[in-house]
Amino acid sequence: MSSTSLGPRRKPSRKGSMADVPKDMLQEIKKLEDMFTVDTAKLKAICDHFIKELAKGLTVEGGSIPMNPTWCMGFPTGNETGTFLALDMGGTNLRVCEINLPEEKGEFDIIQSKYRMPEELKTGNADELWAYIADCLQQFIEYHHEGEKLDKLPLGFTFSYPATQEYIDHGILQRWTKGFDIDGVEGKDVVPPFEEALEERGVPIKLTALINDTTGTLIASSYTDQEMKIGCIFGTGCNAAYMETCGNIPKLAHMNIPADQEIAINCEWGAFDNEHKILPRTPYDVIIDKDSPRPGQQAFEKMIAGLYLGELFRLVLVDLHEQKHVKFFEGQDIASLRKPYSLDASFLSDIENDPYENLQETHDVFASKMNIKCSKPELELIRRLAELIGTRSARLSACGVAAICKKMNYKTCHVGADGSVFNKYPHFKARGAQALKELLDWETGRDGKPLGRGHDPVEILPAEDGSGVGAALIAALTLKRVQEGNVMGIRDPEGMLKGTAAAKSGNKQVAPETKK
């Protein structure tokens, strides 16, 4: 019987493409699958350990996850009103926003400007840094409020560098990150020099809250969607924030805060499992840690964050090439692949997004970027490796989300997520949702509906703008607390109100109760 009578040949699925891969290469793929796959049982074991570590971070003794109290006390109601500024000091830009919270619940209007952060400032001196930031704020005010007589505008400052805070209006920088290395700032409170620079220029601004972007993500997201209970960042780094009750925080017991008082906790969960007790580290993860600027720190982050995904991928490829029996990139010069951190997460995204059956785009990018000519079996391994690393990142990320849900007994909630990996990495959202289903043992969705988008009991959704809107909202909530006489974790409550619209008699600028 001639083969033509069998009808057209079915186009092989991507899975079926392995048919052309020689046996020894298939064995290498199988080894990688065994190494990078995290099954349901392992996910659950990691989650159980994560819950214990979150609780440990809240004790007096502490643990490897810092669990920093932020002094942002409680969620917004959606009825906050007034005009607030937000300042976001990132690695490349300085962003200034003015946010107006109108009468409508959960709404906001925003105007913003970006200023470049000059490279020389990052290694200059502290006075120059604060002077530059104050100049940008002055420019912003002059441009948007020319000739107006202004009350002092309350400012939320997103300062996303590791800092310890005993008060919401102060913060001691623990260490610089993101390429900053300015002498004389580490170990000191960043607020007084910042305020002095504003004072010198007569800029009508009062720093009300110093916040971390993850806490801002939590608050901004819950302002527009009251089901949001957790804020996460899955980007170059990783982190989460959630609302805890003070009764569950032994390290704050000496302050005699009411047990049911809510306070946002900035987990800094990249440090989970620094003791290497539970995470399934491969030999490649061990190398990444050993060669990093801070070995032994940020164990969780090094397995899931965007900064490290491309490097993991690169290390595996170099190792395969060096195992002569594997015959990977055999006889080729792989010098361009030997440069540490030369591949980033977007390189993996592109491989996973390659739509062609023969992985033509991947073939072309290896040829043009690295001068390496890949065979069909090599391309299949490359694609599978990218899938394995991307999938592991999403599945491990879900362990942290599930741990907070279990700790707080959230059966249903929304999680607001931001960051380049969450927003841009292919299938990250779907893989995370699948892992949550396994971790939390879901059979059906909300109201008995089938599981899937919109019906999963816990859903990770794109967050609201944390470093802008979130910072402004936390300034609003802090001012409202001062008006109500609830001044826990505020260093200078009187100074905070002075000269602002909220200080004017009877003007409860940010108190929703006074709404008609």
Side-chain angles (χ1 to χ4, degrees), residues 31-38 42 46 270-292 294-304 308 312 315-316 392 396:
K31 271 191 218 163
L32 292 170
E33 286 176 339
D34 292 344
M35 211 184 283
F36 283 98
T37 301
V38 188
K42 186 64 177 173
I46 294 167
F272 168 62
D273 200 36
N274 280 350
E275 309 79 15
H276 308 312
K277 283 185 182 160
I278 192 85
L279 288 172
R281 296 205 307 161
T282 67
Y284 309 107
D285 296 299
V286 174
I287 294 169
I288 282 193
D289 182 44
K290 188 166 70 43
D291 295 346
S292 70
R294 292 194 163 80
Q297 291 184 25
Q298 301 299 93
F300 187 52
E301 182 162 279
K302 284 170 182 163
M303 291 178 78
I304 70 170
Y308 306 101
L312 264 173
L315 287 170
V316 176
R392 187 186 74 163
L396 290 177

Side-chain angles (χ1 to χ4, degrees), residues 386-401:
E387 287 170 357
L388 288 167
I389 291 172
T391 301
R392 187 186 74 163
S393 166
R395 287 173 72 78
L396 290 177
S397 298
C399 292
V401 174

Side-chain angles (χ1 to χ4, degrees), residues 477-513:
L477 293 172
T478 306
L479 220 45
K480 177 172 156 232
R481 281 210 288 131
V482 175
Q483 288 174 301
E484 291 167 352
N486 175 359
V487 296
M488 279 170 303
I490 299 174
R491 185 170 52 181
D492 181 17
E494 276 103 68
M496 199 176 276
L497 276 179
K498 211 166 147 195
T500 65
K504 295 183 176 168
S505 60
N507 180 349
K508 297 277 187 186
Q509 180 186 12
V510 287
E513 309 63 297

Side-chain angles (χ1 to χ4, degrees), residues 6-28:
L6 294 172
R9 269 192 69 198
R10 193 173 63 80
K11 193 170 171 231
S13 68
R14 288 250 20 104
K15 273 275 178 247
S17 316
M18 290 292 176
D20 313 331
V21 178
K23 195 155 160 260
D24 50 355
M25 193 76 83
L26 280 173
Q27 280 174 334
E28 291 308 319

Side-chain angles (χ1 to χ4, degrees), residues 95 97 99 108 110 112 216-217 220-221 418 463-471:
R95 182 167 69 117
C97 313
I99 286 116
F108 60 85
I110 179 167
Q112 55 184 326
T217 297
S221 301
D418 206 349
E464 237 359 295
D465 161 29
S467 55
V469 178

